Amino acid sequence: MMSILQISWLALAIPAAFAAPAHKDKTTTVKPVKRVQLGPRPYWLVDQMEDGPLKKRLASCSEMEMKPTAWSISHRGGGVLQFPEETYASIMAGTRMGAGIQECDVTFTKDKQLVCRHDQCDLHTTTNVVSIPSLNAKCTTPFKPATNSSSADATALCCTSDFSLAEIKTLCAKMDAANQNATTPQEFLTGTPAYRTDLYAKTCGPVLTLKEFISIVDGLGLRFTPELKTPRVPMPFPAGSNYTQTAFAQQMIDEFKAAGVSPKRVYPQSFLYDDILYWLKAEPAFGKQAVLLDERADYEGMEVAIAALPTYARAGVKIVAPPLPYLVSVDKKGKIVPSLYATTAKKLGLKIITWSLERSGWLSDQEHGGYYYASIASVIKREGDVFNLLHVLAQDVGVLGIFSDWSATVTYYANCFGLVF
Ligand SMILES: *[C@@H]1O[C@H](CO)[C@@H](O)[C@H](O)[C@H]1NC(C)=O
Ligand SMILES: *[C@@H]1O[C@H](CO)[C@@H](O)[C@H](O)[C@H]1NC(C)=O
Ligand SMILES: *[C@@H]1O[C@H](CO)[C@@H](O)[C@H](O)[C@H]1NC(C)=O
């Protein structure tokens, strides 16, 4: 028994070659998912909660039939804890777990085609690009091995804008990670955190175009939240061309129009205020539902971030989307409560979406959930505490929806508390 276990661990440790790219066009056969299934995780999380009224209420929903809801927003597909992000597999996992709005992070290739990647320059951590010598050579920074296996200085930087769409379509999506101690390109592909898995990452899901994403999510009958990713290359791209930031912002909307999608089903997002202002003016039907992603407090402090909210509201922004920790704090009695950011945004009539749940690994270790729980770390001790945060966001902050790397958790809460729409 022991030796069998050892052999299987060894097999996991040595990265197997990826299967040949599987470029089947699945998009034409996608139909709505009628039977939502949450899997064991939310039930386990409830079990991990401290005894009390919230645990009791959540436990009382354990035999409910679960329904999809727009309150549960997929982050990078919604299956990111286990499936390579922004792929068909992640979208289907998030959808099966009840996500009612699906996300594609939109960035562009060298030939100005739109694809779904969380960052314009993450191909070296989200695909096998560094292991294909001819493509690795075209990366902004091709793979450089670590000096030795404990120096942690292996690097690479590969951007969608380094490649044509045809080249990107030969890549295999993988779990977002890199092994910085790698002395070979194959080793660089490892490094998936222990709270995730490579179980579904060897079958070569292709990178999706925005067009494919629209077709899949339309087939599923769900809503869309495309994020215009802040370019990592100077705009216009290339210099002197007509591919400006507004051309990029317009192109994203044009693909929804070309597909005949109603703007009511689309929530375009951007971290760039100017993108939102552009949509409000040039594409008001889409701009009306645009989501201003706000991580300003990370760079300029919370006071500056809060002081900017009235400006956004006056300009016609309807929805702001700060990260989770901006919205909550802990009061003197150790209770999680809405933050000043949250109460200010609400007073201004701004609607709030927030990100991202289920991205933090363990909550019960010394990190207490890290960045996403930073403002409430003092009261985060158990895995089940995720529901204490969700409860305040739902009942006291009144958020419109929550992005999650594992949609089941948010879907469970939403169904239990009647947030199904
Ligand atoms: C990678 O290198 C770092 C820094 O030297 C070291 O702490 C870590 O243990 C190494 N990881 C592995 C898997 O060898
Ligand atoms: C590995 O690299 C690190 C940092 O580059 C260095 O400090 C260490 O001495 C090296 N170890 C060996 C065995 O060469
Ligand atoms: C940019 O120029 C190309 C030709 O070089 C043209 O096909 C395209 O329509 C132009 N785009 C815009 C937004 O003007």
Side-chain angles (χ1 to χ4, degrees):
M1 192 62 200
M2 201 54 206
S3 67
I4 291 170
L5 269 178
Q6 275 163 358
I7 288 166
S8 65
W9 276 107
L10 200 65
L12 278 177
I14 299 169
F18 280 98
H23 292 156
K24 278 176 252 141
D25 180 13
K26 295 182 172 132
T27 63
T28 51
T29 60
V30 178
K31 296 210 173 70
V33 164
K34 299 226 175 90
R35 197 165 286 272
V36 163
Q37 292 179 14
L38 301 189
R41 182 168 170 80
Y43 306 85
W44 178 83
L45 288 169
V46 171
D47 217 35
Q48 295 292 318
M49 292 177 74
E50 199 170 355
D51 287 340
L54 181 58
K55 178 175 184 168
K56 213 166 152 194
R57 170 74 188 268
L58 286 165
S60 78
C61 297
S62 65
E63 301 309 317
M64 261 178 90
E65 190 190 326
M66 297 293 166
K67 300 215 162 67
T69 171
W71 203 72
S72 183
I73 307 176
S74 89
H75 186 237
R76 312 187 191 186
V80 180
L81 263 185
Q82 301 205 351
F83 294 87
E85 63 186 47
E86 315 246 356
T87 62
Y88 175 79
S90 183
I91 293 171
M92 293 312 288
T95 301
R96 182 61 68 185
M97 293 187 283
I101 303 181
Q102 275 288 349
E103 180 180 49
C104 162
D105 290 302
V106 178
T107 184
F108 52 84
T109 63
K110 193 169 195 170
D111 46 351
K112 270 69 117 238
Q113 303 297 304
L114 301 182
V115 293
C116 302
R117 281 295 93 185
H118 179 256
D119 191 296
Q120 189 171 0
C121 299
D122 72 12
L123 289 177
H124 54 293
T125 66
T126 65
T127 72
N128 62 338
V129 65
V130 300
S131 68
I132 305 169
S134 59
L135 296 182
N136 175 53
K138 295 185 177 181
C139 289
T140 298
T141 309
F143 170 69
K144 249 199 288 186
T147 322
N148 64 55
S149 59
S150 63
S151 63
D153 58 356
T155 58
L157 187 73
C158 305
C159 307
T160 55
S161 48
D162 294 334
F163 303 99
S164 68
L165 176 59
E167 287 170 331
I168 286 174
K169 276 294 189 185
T170 67
L171 301 176
C172 297
K174 62 183 264 299
M175 296 299 279
D176 182 17
N179 175 357
Q180 275 163 340
N181 297 355
T183 56
T184 67
Q186 282 298 333
E187 274 174 8
F188 193 70
L189 304 181
T190 66
T192 301
Y195 59 85
R196 295 187 179 156
T197 177
D198 288 322
L199 186 58
Y200 304 106
K202 300 290 184 204
T203 47
C204 195
V207 173
L208 296 175
T209 62
L210 175 60
K211 287 190 185 83
E212 288 167 336
F213 168 84
I214 293 172
S215 158
I216 293 167
V217 178
D218 195 33
L220 291 169
L222 302 179
R223 291 178 237 184
F224 311 79
T225 188
E227 178 185 339
L228 196 75
K229 291 312 293 194
T230 303
R232 301 283 175 196
V233 290
M235 299 298 272
F237 173 79
S241 77
N242 66 0
Y243 199 64
T244 58
Q245 181 66 24
T246 52
F248 173 36
Q250 185 62 49
Q251 183 186 13
M252 188 179 94
I253 300 299
D254 285 347
E255 295 209 351
F256 284 91
K257 289 166 127 180
V261 173
S262 161
K264 290 191 186 123
R265 291 174 66 198
V266 184
Y267 299 82
Q269 325 160 53
S270 180
F271 278 103
L272 301 180
Y273 184 42
D274 283 349
D275 291 341
I276 309 287
L277 295 179
Y278 173 75
W279 289 325
L280 281 168
K281 196 163 132 234
E283 293 287 352
F286 288 88
K288 217 158 59 175
Q289 299 203 129
V291 179
L292 176 60
L293 296 158
D294 184 6
E295 59 180 355
R296 199 158 172 177
D298 284 25
Y299 306 104
E300 298 175 70
M302 189 51 80
E303 274 179 41
V304 174
I306 293 171
L309 292 171
T311 313
Y312 305 148
R314 269 198 305 276
V317 173
K318 299 277 183 276
I319 308 169
V320 288
L324 299 164
Y326 287 24
L327 294 175
V328 282
S329 55
V330 178
D331 73 6
K332 288 200 187 91
K333 292 183 191 145
K335 212 172 139 234
I336 303 173
V337 292
S339 66
L340 183 60
Y341 182 109
T343 54
T344 307
K346 276 179 75 170
K347 261 187 228 145
L348 291 163
L350 290 163
K351 296 201 174 85
I352 302 170
I353 284 175
T354 188
W355 45 279
S356 293
L357 214 72
E358 294 286 38
R359 230 185 134 60
S360 304
W362 303 280
L363 303 187
S364 56
D365 66 8
Q366 293 147 332
E367 312 242 331
H368 305 286
Y371 175 84
Y372 292 104
Y373 290 81
S375 62
I376 54 171
S378 62
V379 296
I380 296 300
K381 300 196 166 68
R382 296 162 167 261
E383 300 301 328
D385 288 345
V386 60
F387 282 121
N388 297 342
L389 171 59
L390 271 179
H391 196 48
V392 174
L393 292 171
Q395 309 304 328
D396 304 328
V397 177
V399 297
L400 202 59
I402 302 182
F403 281 97
S404 178
D405 272 17
W406 194 248
S407 296
T409 309
V410 176
T411 304
Y412 185 98
Y413 181 91
N415 273 269
C416 194
F417 280 87
L419 296 165
V420 175
F421 51 91

